Amino acid sequence: MINQILLDEKISKTKRQIIFKKVYGTLLGVAYGDAMGMPTSLMNPIMIRKMFPERITQLLPAPIGHVIHNGMKAGQVTDDTQQTLLLVDLFLEEKKFSKEGVARKLLEWAKSLNAFETLILGPSSLRALKMIDSGVSIDEAGWMGDTNGAAMKISPAGIVNPGDYDAVVKDVAEICVPTHNTNIAIAGASAVACAVSAGMVSKNLETIIDAFMYGAEEGMKLGRQWYGASIIKRAEHALKIIRSGKAETEIWQDLYDYIGAGVAMSESVPLALSLVVYYKGDPLRTIEAAANLGGDCDTIGAIAGSIAGAFAGSDVFPNEIKERLSKVNNIDFENYAERLTELLVSE
């Protein structure tokens, strides 16, 4: 009996450690992808090659005069990570995601940073939060939100629903109501969150791809019907590009030219998936590629990093990166992961 109790305790501790590493890996993937892509965000490939001829291979400060990130330090995160952690905070407080809670958290955060007067917010979030602040109903404010702001912050919905894709999509739809309540946004965010959910429980990249496609398909059934290229079709084409056998830099250029790397959900989300698959789930290589490819580099890095981070876990991130991200941003990512893990294992 005593031996069985000890064995059960050992299994329980092992399970908890696995979950912790997956949660921590996801949060690190978001932050590292965000911070790595920050200096090159909104640059095209030619601009990046000119400014960084040896590629970005480490955390760097924003170039002087950067249109959005001027003055930011090496390793500093942007709204991608900040909004992700707002959702984590909400879940830790309420043990669920509610549209009211999401709207409250986002509005408080935006006002604290004077975001309405700067370029911090993306177009969908800026428009919707201004509407909510002026008295428009939460259910009406996000009716035009179709950009990748929904996907950049969505990984917590995948973290707290490991392997349960229907629960993921339900949570994503709730989270998207205030700012991104369109089918194209919910589809993109669901695709990402389902891929994270799969990464929490699987070591198979095909499972990640299948979960991504499931999330995109189910998400398209929800929210206000809106226009936009098919996320599934774009993702399928992106996967063909990475399997073309071309050189790495040629693949980057083809992804940029044919899939796109902008704020549109049907560009950045399929691109992020293709990078994860091309680099076999390695978050470090995936994130480095996102930072050098061009376009909305910080957001694509955060999205791709969340999926690869869930898949690979936290051990692949060097301690130097973990410490730099925490120190520069004054954020204890490990503590966030510990608290989320405690909730997951106690259920």
Side-chain angles (χ1 to χ4, degrees):
M1 176 64 74
I2 294 176
N3 287 341
Q4 183 60 48
I5 291 173
L6 291 175
L7 179 60
D8 290 343
E9 288 180 353
K10 183 177 181 180
I11 292 172
S12 179
K13 288 180 180 178
T14 301
K15 179 182 177 183
R16 189 191 190 286
Q17 188 65 11
I18 291 171
I19 293 172
F20 166 76
K21 289 180 179 181
K22 294 285 191 174
V23 175
Y24 193 20
T26 305
L27 298 180
L28 286 171
V30 173
Y32 187 49
D34 183 12
M36 272 284 281
M38 175 270 290
T40 51
S41 185
L42 305 187
M43 294 185 185
N44 65 38
I46 295 173
M47 296 165 67
I48 293 174
R49 288 195 294 269
K50 183 177 180 180
M51 187 165 290
F52 304 98
E54 302 300 321
R55 294 190 185 184
I56 287 188
T57 59
Q58 61 184 325
L59 294 168
L60 296 174
I64 295 174
H66 192 287
V67 65
I68 296 178
H69 302 140
N70 185 46
M72 292 185 70
K73 303 174 183 177
Q76 194 169 348
V77 298
T78 76
D79 60 324
D80 302 70
T81 305
Q82 293 166 358
Q83 290 190 32
T84 298
L85 296 180
L86 288 180
L87 292 184
V88 176
D89 285 333
L90 177 62
F91 192 83
L92 289 172
E93 292 168 12
E94 299 185 358
K95 310 299 185 293
K96 65 178 182 178
F97 299 109
S98 65
K99 59 188 179 183
E100 295 84 5
V102 172
R104 173 174 50 82
K105 285 286 188 183
L106 287 175
L107 196 56
E108 289 174 353
W109 166 81
K111 287 186 173 183
S112 73
L113 296 176
N114 195 31
F116 291 166
E117 307 303 325
T118 66
L119 295 175
I120 294 174
L121 286 167
S124 297
S125 295
L126 178 61
R127 178 177 55 245
L129 291 177
K130 279 186 173 181
M131 292 173 68
I132 293 171
D133 193 43
S134 69
V136 174
S137 165
I138 292 172
D139 293 307
E140 297 297 325
W143 71 279
M144 289 177 61
D146 62 349
T147 46
N148 60 10
M152 72 183 192
K153 63 176 180 280
I154 206 64
S155 58
I159 290 173
V160 304
N161 295 297
D164 188 346
Y165 308 146
D166 289 330
V168 170
V169 175
K170 182 179 179 181
D171 278 346
V172 170
E174 183 77 7
I175 291 167
C176 285
V177 169
T179 58
H180 293 81
N181 197 19
T182 62
N183 61 339
I184 194 73
I186 296 172
S190 293
V192 172
C194 282
V196 169
S197 172
M200 290 286 295
V201 297
S202 177
K203 297 181 179 180
N204 188 327
L205 280 174
E206 289 302 319
T207 302
I208 305 296
I209 296 171
D210 290 344
F212 177 99
M213 298 300 184
Y214 181 85
E217 182 176 6
E218 292 302 305
M220 280 298 289
K221 302 173 183 177
L222 304 172
R224 178 185 172 89
Q225 295 299 299
W226 201 244
Y227 63 90
S230 168
I231 291 169
I232 291 176
K233 298 290 186 184
R234 283 273 179 90
E236 289 171 345
H237 188 47
L239 292 174
K240 288 180 182 178
I241 289 173
I242 65 166
R243 292 163 177 162
S244 65
K246 292 183 178 181
E248 179 184 51
T249 54
E250 291 182 279
I251 287 174
W252 286 3
Q253 192 63 50
D254 282 350
L255 288 171
Y256 184 87
D257 289 338
Y258 294 107
I259 305 304
V263 300
M265 191 66 84
S266 53
E267 293 184 17
S268 51
V269 166
L271 174 59
L273 174 69
S274 70
L275 293 178
V276 173
V277 176
Y278 182 67
Y279 293 103
K280 297 179 172 56
D282 180 342
L284 302 182
R285 297 180 68 201
T286 297
I287 287 167
E288 184 177 319
N292 287 280
L293 196 146
D296 196 3
C297 297
D298 56 342
T299 295
I300 294 168
I303 293 170
S306 71
I307 299 171
F311 180 77
S314 59
D315 284 350
V316 301
F317 292 89
N319 287 333
E320 179 185 355
I321 290 175
K322 296 174 182 176
E323 292 167 4
R324 171 68 72 85
L325 290 171
S326 289
K327 183 177 181 180
V328 171
N329 298 288
N330 194 29
I331 296 172
D332 192 339
F333 293 97
E334 185 173 4
N335 180 259
Y336 267 112
E338 286 282 5
R339 287 187 289 155
L340 271 178
T341 300
E342 192 60 38
L343 276 182
L344 290 174
V345 299
S346 64
E347 291 181 351

